[in-house]
Amino acid sequence: MTYTITKRRKYMVAAAFLLIFGGLLALATVFDLQVSFLLASPNLVEGRYFSTNFFCNLVEVAAMAPIWGFATFAACILTVFSHHRTGPGQCLQVFFFGLSVFTGTFFLRDMMKYLLQITGREAVMDQIWFNALMAAFGLLVTILILALAGERIQAHMKVLLPFALAIVGSCCCFLFVELIKNPVGRMRFRAMHYIGDYSYYTPWYRVSDARRQLSSLGFDRDYFKSFPSGHTFSGSMAYLMILFPDLFRSWQTRKRKVLSYVIPIAYTGTVAFFRVAAGAHFFSDVLVGGTMGFVAVQFFRYLFLHRLREKF
């Protein structure tokens, strides 16, 4: 009887989620351009691509931290897991250590990239010393995590291994965002504002021809990567906090269970709002990007923490 009620409740939650998402997407489809005019226009000035609003730029710089932060931690867990393996297992340890250095590098490099672009100094990113400094940061972060928390990770491996796999699976879904962006080619609102022509606007479900039409002007490819929002997807990796009550006894109180949802929702919502306010994305872009992240987290939560949990 209890199982039937629980199953029915899950179906009701899923139906409510789809209904809310569908309703918001319908509204976004109709009012995308109007919402961007309302939120983004006051923060854009003639002749400048990036927003003049401090908080919009702050989100542009820092919003992707969750995806790189969680990925680095997951790679460290997998490095510890493969530490005592022999044969191919030793190769895995080197691979995961390198993966941790890579994601740790991009944790800082992504922030610096957007900061340099906003300030018009992106040429710095081509300098050898800059990339060496970013790599040194990734290496330092990895070494510190392994040195300070390696033994604790090993002691709680049965709990942390499925968590690491759920993180890796969720973060890898970012590839779908990138695979959609280029073929769709939706022009950003701030790019249209920059050239002073909004006739290139297209709804989210239609492939845009703006890149081909404007190719002779030599515009940056970034101008045509509006849908879906990569920043919002990356920020939505904060939803990995939802896994905490499944993993840690200290998070199984009612208050912390609520926080495990409230904090990621607030963070992702803030990122989404300021991405629209920056003119970088439309309402539908951030809605789809954030929802993709949430669905990815819930899928891998089910797969590794429920379906396959006993195997760990």
Side-chain angles (χ1 to χ4, degrees):
M1 182 69 174
T2 304
Y3 173 76
T4 304
I5 295 173
T6 303
K7 193 173 182 180
R8 186 181 302 168
R9 185 178 300 166
K10 288 181 179 178
Y11 285 134
M12 290 175 64
V13 170
F17 170 77
L18 291 174
L19 186 63
I20 293 170
F21 172 73
L24 289 174
L25 187 59
L27 287 172
T29 303
V30 176
F31 297 110
D32 254 350
L33 194 56
Q34 293 91 324
V35 170
S36 289
F37 270 116
L38 178 66
L39 296 181
S41 291
N43 303 316
L44 298 170
V45 297
E46 186 177 349
R48 178 180 167 85
Y49 179 61
F50 290 98
S51 173
T52 57
N53 183 285
F54 171 79
F55 292 105
C56 290
N57 291 333
L58 179 64
V59 167
E60 184 123 21
V61 170
M64 296 184 72
I67 193 170
W68 297 119
F70 274 113
T72 301
F73 183 59
C76 285
I77 294 172
L78 294 170
T79 300
V80 174
F81 174 72
S82 55
H83 176 62
H84 296 294
R85 301 299 184 271
T86 58
Q90 292 179 328
C91 296
L92 282 177
Q93 183 183 11
V94 174
F95 171 77
F96 290 128
F97 182 85
L99 180 63
S100 179
V101 173
F102 175 81
T103 53
T105 297
F106 270 82
F107 180 89
L108 181 61
R109 194 181 189 279
D110 244 25
M111 293 185 186
M112 294 303 299
K113 178 183 77 171
Y114 290 109
L115 180 61
L116 292 169
Q117 286 179 344
I118 291 168
T119 56
R121 301 169 63 188
E122 57 264 40
V124 173
M125 292 187 293
D126 296 327
Q127 300 296 318
I128 295 176
W129 66 264
F130 174 81
N131 290 287
L133 187 62
M134 298 300 103
F137 176 84
L139 179 62
L140 178 62
V141 167
T142 298
I143 291 173
L144 285 175
I145 293 174
L146 294 175
L148 299 176
E151 290 185 3
R152 296 194 67 181
I153 290 173
Q154 183 66 55
H156 298 89
M157 187 56 69
K158 286 185 178 180
V159 172
L160 292 177
L161 181 58
F163 184 42
L165 294 175
I167 292 172
V168 171
S170 300
C171 292
C172 283
C173 288
F174 183 77
L175 295 174
F176 290 108
V177 174
E178 291 299 311
L179 287 172
I180 295 170
K181 273 181 179 288
N182 286 317
V184 172
R186 192 182 197 187
M187 195 170 183
R188 298 184 191 271
F189 179 83
R190 66 186 179 192
M192 290 185 282
H193 181 277
Y194 183 70
I195 66 172
D197 189 349
Y198 297 96
S199 65
Y200 294 103
Y201 168 80
T202 52
W204 62 270
Y205 54 83
R206 186 181 302 164
V207 174
S208 174
D209 195 38
R211 184 185 300 169
R212 184 190 62 80
Q213 294 180 46
L214 298 170
S215 60
S216 61
L217 299 178
F219 283 168
D220 193 299
R221 288 179 61 191
D222 183 69
Y223 288 18
F224 310 99
K225 298 177 72 174
S226 186
F227 179 85
S229 171
H231 271 72
T232 311
F233 178 93
S234 300
S236 73
M237 288 300 99
Y239 282 117
L240 286 161
M241 287 184 65
I242 293 172
L243 279 61
F244 288 0
D246 295 327
L247 296 166
F248 310 115
R249 188 170 297 176
S250 60
W251 275 82
Q252 291 174 358
T253 64
R254 181 182 295 273
K255 181 180 179 180
R256 292 198 173 186
K257 284 181 180 180
V258 171
L259 282 177
S260 71
Y261 275 90
V262 170
I263 293 174
I265 289 172
Y267 184 86
T268 307
T270 300
V271 171
F273 176 83
F274 282 108
R275 292 307 282 158
V276 176
H281 294 287
F282 295 98
F283 179 21
S284 56
D285 301 337
V286 298
L287 177 64
V288 172
T291 302
M292 286 175 67
F294 176 77
V295 170
V297 169
Q298 290 288 21
F299 172 77
F300 288 104
R301 175 195 184 193
Y302 167 76
L303 181 64
F304 290 115
L305 273 69
H306 296 278
R307 186 77 176 180
L308 301 177
R309 183 68 178 268
E310 292 182 2
K311 294 185 181 297
F312 298 102

